[in-house]
Structures are given as structure tokens and as C-alpha cells.
Amino acid sequence: MNKIKSIFFLVFLLINLISFSQTEDATNAYKVLYNKASQLCENKKEDAFCKAFHFFAQKKYDSCIVYSNKALLSAKTKKTEHKNILNYIQGTSYIRKKLYKKALLSIESVIDSGIFKSLRDEKLGRIYLQTGNYRKSISFYKQFIKLNDSLPTKIKKSVFHNLGVSYLLVKEYQKAREFLDKEFELINKTDTISIIGFKTDLANIYYEQYIDSVAIPLFKEAYDLATKISSLDHKRRTTYNLAIVEKNRKNYKKSLEHYQQYIKIKDSINNRDRIWELAEIDKKNAIKIKEQEILIQNKELRKQQLIIVLLLFILGLIIVIMYLVSKYRKRRILLKAEIGNLKAVNEERKRISEELHDGILSKLFGIRMNLGFINYAASNEEKIKYHNFLEELNEVEKEIRQVSHKLGNEIMIKDDFISELTKLIESKSKLGNFAYEMKVAKDVNWSKFSTDAIVNIYRVLQEVFQNIVKHSKAKNVLFKVIKENNNLIINVKDDGIGFNIKEIRSKGIGIKNIDSRTNKIGGLINISSKISVGSNIMMKIPYK
């Protein structure tokens, strides 16, 4: 009876310490799950779901449990796939923390379908093995193997090992030996730790059946192998096994030796663990101190960045103000120069006007008057021609007088341009006996155009309306000005007799002047006409 009790104590000890092998999460199903979770978290790094997965990948299982609970309780987590991933990583985290009851609740919440069936079966097999429900453990591990034919060697070896241990604990020794042999076939012969585990498990199978002649040598072989490696854990376990075996054989002296050796190794492990624990505490403290330093540095850096941004903003504001002031000054200088040029042009126009009026016009008038007093004896036909000639000379005088008058007037000011155009159209409508309509956009700022541009626009329109008076016989004329994108569109449309555009372009100097003046100001002119329908002239001028 004592032997049996000792054996059971030994078996459970071995299960908890070395016999149970944890399968790695490296199946194809896990890779698919990992990829899906990674895709979901590409644009949601602050989400509780993604934080849970992030901590799970970093093996920070406490944090994973906290955030997976938060995500599962969140109203945002509605999709079954999301819940499956959360329950799986939460259950796995509980397993790593050896909280198997909680792990069971999480893994059982994973819906048994698709890739999750394989993952679920493997985890349930592990949980039931640890909680003593060996039959269920066997069932789930067998389903796991069935669903995964092409498992990696490392995972197959772990599953075969756990199945062998489960069958050992339900006293099905033949099946236990069968799965342990399958495990042994996959063990690399240089993998001493795996060989120690295999020999110990095999020794337990024979020891359970009271076949000491086979079991005890296997325990000793495992012990001898453990003494040749640096692993204190394996030395402790194999030494303790021999202490129990020798005690059951009533070889108390030998048992005491092994037990004393076990105590020494255990103390060494405890010391090592304390050193590791202290080192881990120091590491955590160092990390916290470093994090505090980084936090302080980041605060200082943010302050510096804020100051730099403010300085750059102020500098930019100063540059903009200086630019606007400079632009304003340049505009004033140009305006003064333009006004000066305008005065000079007006003075020259007055001089030419005076010359035409006082010089050429006076001479022509004298010539006409003298011709009128000549007693010209000729046929009636020649007299008619003579009088016609005098009339033509009179017309020339009138035209020169008009030109002189116009030259005597100052160039129109840009701000008063529309009133100048109104006067022009009004005078032409009286001469041509046509009605007119003006549609000028109110938001056109004529001061944006240079004086030269204004003069050219005026001369083009003067020519257009002159042609309407002379040739079109129009009854109605529409004058329209609109803004379109970055252009000013000026349109003159009449309902006159129309004309042949090709013929006019080849012969008319007026059309050529219109083209020339429009080109000077960077504009385009489009002339269209249809016989008996009328004409349409459109100017397109850059307006910025």
C-alpha cells in the first residue's frame, strides 16, 4: 500500500513538473488567427481588442486578460470572429497563469467551427489533462491530431507525450507506451532533455505495473543523463524520483542520500530563482526610471517644439506683413509712375491736337475757301465733280476736327471707365440709329488693368462700334461684360446684315488693328458673323 501511495504521489509530481508538455501555438490555424487579428488592428491600435492581442503576442498575460475582458464587454465587439479570437487568447493567458477553471470558461466560449475548432480542441485537451479529467483530455487531443495531419514535429511530439501521460493515468499502459514510442521516434537523439522526459515517463509505466526490474534502471538512466547537463530542474526531478523509489524498496540510506542531494539542488534552484526575481525587480525598476526620464524628456521636448512652432508662426507673420508692405509700396510707386506717364501722354495729345487744329485744319480750310471762290468754267458734269471734291474736303476737315477734339480730351481714368464706354456707345447709337442694351457685371474691378490695357480695350470697342455704324445697319446691339474663371469676357452682338469674315480679314485694316490691340494685352478675339443674321465679337482678357 505504501508503495502504491508513493507511486501515485510520484506520478502526479512528474505530471506537474516534467511529464506534461505544452504544445506551441504554431499550427496553421494559429497563424491564420494571428494574421486576421493583425489585419483587424492595422488601423485600430488604441482599441481594447488590439491592446489585448498586442499584450498576448508580447506574453504579457495579465494585461491581455484585462483588455480581453474589456473588449468582450464592449458594445463594439459584435462579430463572432472577434469574440472567438478574444476568448482564445484570454483562455491561453489563463492557462499560462495556471488558472485552469477560468481558462476552461474562456476556451469553451470559442465557437467550435472553422480554424477555431482545431485551436479549441488542443487547448481543451491541455486543460482537462491539468484538471484531472484524463478521458476528456484524450478525446480532445485525438480530435486535434485528426484535424491536423501535417503538424510540425515539435507539436506532434508534445501531443503524443500528453496522450501517453493521459493513458498512463487511466491505467491503459499499452496505449500509453504506444504514444510514448511515437514521441520517441520524433525525438532528436542529441536532445538530452527530451530523452530524460521519455525515460522517466516509460519508467512510470513499468513502475505502475510493479515491473521494477525495468522501471528502476530507466529512472537511473534518466538520473545519469540529468547529471551530465546544466539543468538544475531536471537534476532535482530525477533525484527526487530515485529518493522515492529507494524509499519504496526500503533502502532508506540510499533514499536519504538522494533526498539530501535533492534538498541541495532545490536550495540552489531557490537561490537562483531569488537572484532571477531580484534581477527582474531591478530590471523593472530600471525600466520605470528610464520611462520616467523619457517622460520628462518628452515633456521638455514638447515645450521646445511648441516654442519653435510659435517662433516660426511669428516669423512667418512678420514675413507676410513685410511682403504686403513691400507690395503696397511697389504698387504706390507704379501708380505714381503711371499717373506721371498719363500726364505726359495727355500733354502730348494736347500738343498734337493744337497742331492739327491750328496748323493742318486751318490750311485745309483756307484751301477749300479759295477753291470755292474760283470761277471754274467747265461742263456741268465737271462742275458736279468739282463740288463733290469740295464736299469731300469738307468731310476731311470734319474728321480732323473730331480727331483733334478727341486728342484734346484726357485719357479716361480707369475708375471712370464704364462711364466712358457708356458715352461711346450712346454717341454711336445716335449716329447708327440703333437701340442698345448694356449688361456689365458689377464686381469687375477695372483698376486691376494697366492704363495701356484700358486704352487698348477702349480702342477695340471704338473700332467695333464704328464698324456697326458704318456697315451693319443693325437695329439692336447688346454690350455685355462678365467674369469667367480668371478671364474677363466682353461681348458685342448686333442684328445687322452680317459680313464675310474671310473677306473682311484679308482686306480690312480695322480688323487687323483689333487683333493687334487684343494681342498686346494678352487677350483673344473671336469674331463670328452670318449674312442677314448679324455679328458677334467676343474679347477674352486675363483677369487676376
Side-chain angles (χ1 to χ4, degrees):
M1 181 64 70
N2 287 334
K3 180 180 178 181
I4 293 170
K5 286 181 181 178
S6 297
I7 288 168
F8 275 104
F9 177 75
L10 173 63
V11 170
F12 282 111
L13 178 70
L14 291 171
I15 298 256
N16 286 312
L17 297 180
I18 63 168
S19 292
F20 173 62
S21 176
Q22 301 226 4
T23 55
E24 296 294 324
D25 290 316
T27 62
N28 289 332
Y30 178 74
K31 287 177 182 176
V32 172
L33 177 144
Y34 185 90
N35 290 335
K36 283 190 176 183
S38 298
Q39 287 171 5
L40 289 169
C41 293
E42 276 181 3
N43 300 317
K44 293 184 182 176
K45 292 184 181 175
E46 298 303 320
D47 190 71
F49 173 94
C50 299
K51 284 187 176 179
F53 185 73
H54 170 73
F55 287 122
F56 178 73
Q58 290 192 330
K59 298 184 180 179
K60 294 180 180 179
Y61 300 116
D62 289 323
S63 298
C64 174
I65 290 165
V66 170
Y67 281 101
S68 57
N69 272 328
K70 188 176 178 181
L72 285 166
L73 292 170
S74 171
K76 291 179 182 179
T77 310
K78 293 179 180 178
K79 290 186 178 180
T80 303
E81 187 178 52
H82 294 191
K83 289 181 179 178
N84 279 341
I85 293 171
L86 287 167
N87 280 314
Y88 176 79
I89 63 175
Q90 186 183 79
T92 305
S93 297
Y94 279 130
I95 291 171
R96 300 296 186 191
K97 301 290 291 180
K98 297 184 180 179
L99 300 170
Y100 299 111
K101 287 184 180 179
K102 289 184 177 182
L104 185 60
L105 289 172
S106 296
I107 296 299
E108 283 185 334
S109 298
V110 175
I111 293 175
D112 189 5
S113 63
I115 64 163
F116 294 102
K117 178 167 179 55
S118 172
L119 296 167
R120 186 174 183 269
D121 289 346
E122 187 274 323
K123 288 292 179 287
L124 287 173
R126 187 185 304 186
I127 293 166
Y128 284 124
L129 176 58
Q130 287 285 11
T131 54
N133 197 334
Y134 308 120
R135 291 290 180 190
K136 279 193 173 182
S137 176
I138 290 166
S139 173
F140 282 110
Y141 270 130
K142 285 181 119 178
Q143 284 184 57
F144 176 69
I145 292 171
K146 187 177 178 182
L147 288 171
N148 295 276
D149 294 331
S150 58
L151 286 169
T153 301
K154 191 174 183 180
I155 295 176
K156 273 188 183 178
K157 187 176 70 171
S158 298
V159 174
F160 289 152
H161 174 89
N162 291 345
L163 277 167
V165 171
S166 297
Y167 276 116
L168 168 61
L169 292 168
V170 296
K171 300 185 184 299
E172 292 187 28
Y173 304 117
Q174 188 176 346
K175 287 186 177 179
R177 177 63 193 265
E178 178 187 331
F179 279 104
L180 288 176
D181 284 343
K182 286 182 178 181
E183 178 200 3
F184 187 70
E185 288 174 7
L186 299 173
I187 292 174
N188 190 318
K189 300 309 176 274
T190 60
D191 185 359
T192 306
I193 290 174
S194 294
I195 293 170
I196 291 169
F198 169 75
K199 286 184 179 292
T200 304
D201 293 334
L202 199 58
N204 273 300
I205 290 173
Y206 288 111
Y207 202 65
E208 271 283 274
Q209 298 176 78
Y210 301 98
I211 307 173
D212 292 0
S213 59
V214 179
I216 293 169
L218 285 169
F219 279 128
K220 286 182 177 180
E221 285 175 20
Y223 170 78
D224 290 337
L225 286 171
T227 59
K228 294 175 183 178
I229 62 173
S230 60
S231 173
L232 291 174
D233 292 316
H234 286 83
K235 286 176 183 177
R236 180 191 65 180
R237 293 164 188 165
T238 53
T239 302
Y240 190 81
N241 289 344
L242 282 178
I244 297 295
V245 167
E246 295 298 342
K247 182 183 176 183
N248 288 334
R249 292 175 68 192
K250 301 189 185 304
N251 190 349
Y252 299 114
K253 185 179 178 181
K254 205 70 171 163
S255 175
L256 183 61
E257 286 176 8
H258 286 302
Y259 190 74
Q260 287 173 340
Q261 189 182 359
Y262 164 76
I263 295 298
K264 285 180 182 179
I265 296 168
K266 188 178 178 183
D267 288 341
S268 298
I269 290 171
N270 288 338
N271 289 334
R272 181 201 66 188
D273 290 345
R274 284 194 199 99
I275 291 167
W276 285 357
E277 189 177 343
L278 289 170
E280 190 64 26
I281 290 168
D282 288 341
K283 184 181 175 183
K284 286 180 180 178
N285 287 334
I287 290 169
K288 283 182 181 178
I289 291 167
K290 191 68 178 174
E291 285 175 348
Q292 288 294 326
E293 288 176 359
I294 291 168
L295 191 64
I296 292 166
Q297 287 174 1
N298 286 340
K299 283 182 179 178
E300 288 297 322
L301 186 63
R302 278 196 290 272
K303 283 181 183 178
Q304 290 174 7
Q305 287 173 341
L306 184 61
I307 291 167
I308 290 168
V309 168
L310 285 171
L311 288 172
L312 287 172
F313 175 75
I314 292 166
L315 182 63
L317 198 61
I318 291 167
I319 291 169
V320 169
I321 291 168
M322 288 175 68
Y323 170 75
L324 291 173
V325 169
S326 174
K327 191 175 179 181
Y328 173 74
R329 285 176 179 172
K330 285 179 181 178
R331 193 169 178 180
R332 282 192 64 187
I333 292 166
L334 288 171
L335 188 60
K336 283 181 180 180
E338 196 173 315
I339 291 169
N341 290 336
L342 191 60
K343 286 179 180 178
V345 169
N346 282 332
E347 287 174 6
E348 182 63 16
R349 284 163 62 92
K350 283 180 181 179
R351 187 187 69 77
I352 295 169
S353 174
E354 288 169 359
E355 288 293 325
L356 284 172
H357 187 273
D358 298 339
I360 297 170
L361 191 60
S362 296
K363 289 178 182 179
L364 282 174
F365 177 74
I367 292 167
R368 184 169 62 81
M369 290 298 292
N370 288 329
L371 286 171
F373 288 117
I374 294 173
N375 185 11
Y376 184 70
S379 63
N380 288 334
E381 186 179 344
E382 291 297 325
K383 283 182 180 180
I384 291 168
K385 287 182 181 179
Y386 171 73
H387 286 295
N388 286 341
F389 174 70
L390 288 176
E391 284 298 320
E392 284 183 17
L393 197 57
N394 188 37
E395 287 298 319
V396 170
E397 285 180 44
K398 286 181 182 179
E399 286 186 18
I400 291 173
R401 190 174 287 106
Q402 286 176 357
V403 171
S404 175
H405 177 71
K406 287 175 184 176
L407 283 169
N409 294 329
E410 291 187 355
I411 295 173
M412 67 292 298
I413 304 303
K414 286 184 275 187
D415 293 338
D416 201 29
F417 184 55
I418 289 299
S419 64
E420 291 293 328
L421 285 179
T422 305
K423 289 176 186 177
L424 172 69
I425 297 169
E426 177 70 28
S427 66
K428 296 299 180 184
S429 71
K430 289 177 181 178
L431 287 172
N433 195 28
F434 59 79
Y436 70 91
E437 183 181 2
M438 289 182 72
K439 291 183 179 179
V440 181
K442 292 181 180 180
D443 58 345
V444 176
N445 184 3
W446 296 97
S447 64
K448 284 190 174 185
F449 295 102
S450 67
T451 302
D452 186 54
I454 288 290
V455 170
N456 278 299
I457 294 169
Y458 185 83
R459 294 298 181 220
V460 168
L461 292 173
Q462 196 175 38
E463 181 67 28
V464 169
F465 279 100
Q466 185 66 22
N467 288 337
I468 292 171
V469 170
K470 285 185 178 181
H471 309 295
S472 75
K473 297 182 182 179
K475 298 296 181 184
N476 297 286
V477 175
L478 172 65
F479 175 74
K480 189 176 180 182
V481 180
I482 60 168
K483 283 198 301 183
E484 188 179 90
N485 298 327
N486 290 326
N487 295 299
L488 189 72
I489 308 297
I490 300 174
N491 204 63
V492 181
K493 187 176 181 180
D494 68 64
D495 60 355
I497 61 173
F499 57 87
N500 187 313
I501 296 170
K502 290 183 180 179
E503 185 179 331
I504 293 297
R505 280 199 177 277
S506 63
K507 294 180 180 179
I509 191 167
I511 297 295
K512 290 178 182 177
N513 287 340
I514 288 172
D515 287 337
S516 175
R517 287 185 180 278
T518 307
N519 289 333
K520 280 181 184 178
I521 57 175
L524 296 170
I525 192 84
N526 182 49
I527 300 171
S528 59
S529 183
K530 194 171 182 181
I531 303 298
S532 301
V533 175
S535 304
N536 187 36
I537 290 93
M538 186 190 75
M539 286 179 73
K540 190 175 184 181
I541 308 161
Y543 179 87
K544 295 179 182 178

